[in-house]
Amino acid sequence: MNNKMTSQTIKLLPVGELLVGGYQRPTNTAQVEKIAARFDEAKLGLPIVSERDGQYHLLDGAHRAAALRKLGYTHAMCIVLKGLTYADEADYFRTQNQNTRPLTRYNLFKAGLESGDELCVQIDRITRANGFMVGMANKSYNNISAIYALMTICTVYGCDTLDMTLKLLRDTWEGINNVTRREFLVGTAEFVHRYGAAQFAERMRFRSIAEIWQDYLAESSHSNRTSSDPAMRRAFCRVLVRHYNKGLSSNSKKRLVMGG
């Protein structure tokens, strides 16, 4: 049986001597500041460098190295590769970034849940209590993939509003998949924030969510905005209020008025 060995070692290297090649992305100052502000040695990982002509060229970890320098670190443990030419390094940088799969919001949520993150635990508890679950794809009515929308609701309005939002959506349109998309979630949360439960389920139960969605798209070009955008949340809420008021006389006490 032949033994196989990689041409890599781990060394403690001077941070100031780690060089950045021309194939690298320009250093993003904001990213460096972010890493430095949230610095945790346990999460640092090992920068990867190529030892060539007596110098060490960064292949992965340029932003982390810059953050280390900013924080006053003089040395860092690095994975050192040998035998690469400059062209090999550029190809390594290209292919290793192509093969890197970024963490999804679901990956981050599950990790937060496992680590006991308070927000993730609260969201999981509330969604399950209302007959839903957080998932990777919105393939069924009960599965909510709009994780950022759930986090936005808890952060902006509070977890009690998320609880009421999911209860109203379940009581009003149970079994209809699209009601758990991000716009319905944050738009209904805005409604709850302004009016409480009102008579939402009673008045909206027979309203077509397809018509509500088309009215929202006609309202303005909000479809590309994120869940955290207040303008998007208000726009969807305005549409919900219009459908809520349908069939009510202009002087009815049940009519809702949306200002702002």
Side-chain angles (χ1 to χ4, degrees):
M1 180 176 178
N2 294 328
N3 292 325
K4 288 188 176 182
M5 297 180 64
T6 61
S7 57
Q8 66 179 34
T9 56
I10 296 178
K11 292 183 179 180
L12 183 67
L13 299 177
V15 176
E17 295 181 13
L18 303 180
L19 306 177
V20 178
Y23 48 79
Q24 290 267 10
R25 292 165 289 194
T27 302
N28 185 311
T29 303
Q31 179 69 6
V32 173
E33 294 284 349
K34 182 178 179 181
I35 294 172
R38 302 178 181 178
F39 185 74
D40 183 346
E41 281 196 31
K43 299 176 182 178
L44 179 65
L46 300 183
I48 301 174
V49 303
S50 168
E51 184 179 350
R52 176 170 50 84
D53 299 328
Q55 295 179 313
Y56 297 99
H57 305 267
L58 278 159
L59 301 177
D60 182 56
H63 287 88
R64 283 174 287 162
L68 287 169
R69 286 193 290 270
K70 179 179 177 61
L71 291 169
Y73 283 78
T74 58
H75 290 73
M77 296 299 295
C78 299
I79 296 174
V80 181
L81 306 182
K82 293 184 178 181
L84 300 181
T85 65
Y86 180 85
D88 292 334
E89 292 168 5
D91 188 61
Y92 180 98
F93 176 79
R94 177 181 63 83
T95 55
Q96 70 94 17
N97 277 281
Q98 282 180 342
N99 294 331
T100 298
R101 295 179 61 190
L103 294 175
T104 65
R105 293 219 179 262
Y106 181 72
N107 296 147
L108 294 172
F109 174 81
K110 288 293 289 182
L113 197 58
E114 293 297 324
S115 68
D117 177 79
E118 184 177 353
L119 179 60
C120 295
V121 170
Q122 283 279 67
I123 289 172
D124 184 66
R125 178 186 63 78
I126 293 168
T127 52
R128 290 180 184 277
N130 283 284
F132 298 95
M133 63 180 296
V134 177
M136 292 180 64
N138 191 20
K139 294 181 179 179
S140 68
Y141 158 77
N142 298 88
N143 198 63
I144 301 177
S145 61
I147 299 171
Y148 189 55
L150 299 176
M151 292 182 169
T152 296
I153 293 171
C154 282
T155 303
V156 175
Y157 306 110
C159 289
D160 288 343
T161 296
L162 175 62
D163 188 32
M164 179 62 72
T165 296
L166 294 180
K167 181 179 186 304
L168 290 183
L169 292 176
R170 184 196 66 210
D171 292 347
T172 308
W173 292 298
E174 186 169 10
I176 301 177
N177 289 9
N178 285 340
V179 299
T180 55
R181 65 183 301 158
R182 61 174 187 166
E183 294 85 357
F184 269 90
L185 287 165
V186 296
T188 304
E190 178 76 17
F191 184 101
V192 170
H193 174 68
R194 289 170 179 263
Y195 312 106
Q199 293 181 308
F200 190 93
E202 293 84 347
R203 294 206 54 77
M204 302 293 282
R205 183 170 290 123
F206 301 107
R207 302 285 189 258
S208 165
I209 64 165
E211 289 183 15
I212 292 172
W213 179 248
Q214 289 304 314
D215 286 353
Y216 165 71
L217 293 180
E219 176 80 10
S220 190
S221 56
H222 296 291
S223 57
N224 292 325
R225 297 189 178 181
T226 67
S227 305
S228 59
D229 182 3
M232 186 265 266
R233 301 196 299 265
R234 289 194 297 267
F236 204 95
C237 184
R238 275 195 298 273
V239 173
L240 290 175
V241 169
R242 284 205 298 270
H243 282 262
Y244 181 98
N245 285 337
K246 280 185 177 180
L248 294 176
S249 63
S250 58
N251 59 352
S252 172
K253 293 182 179 180
K254 294 181 180 179
R255 284 185 69 86
L256 301 178
V257 178
M258 181 162 176

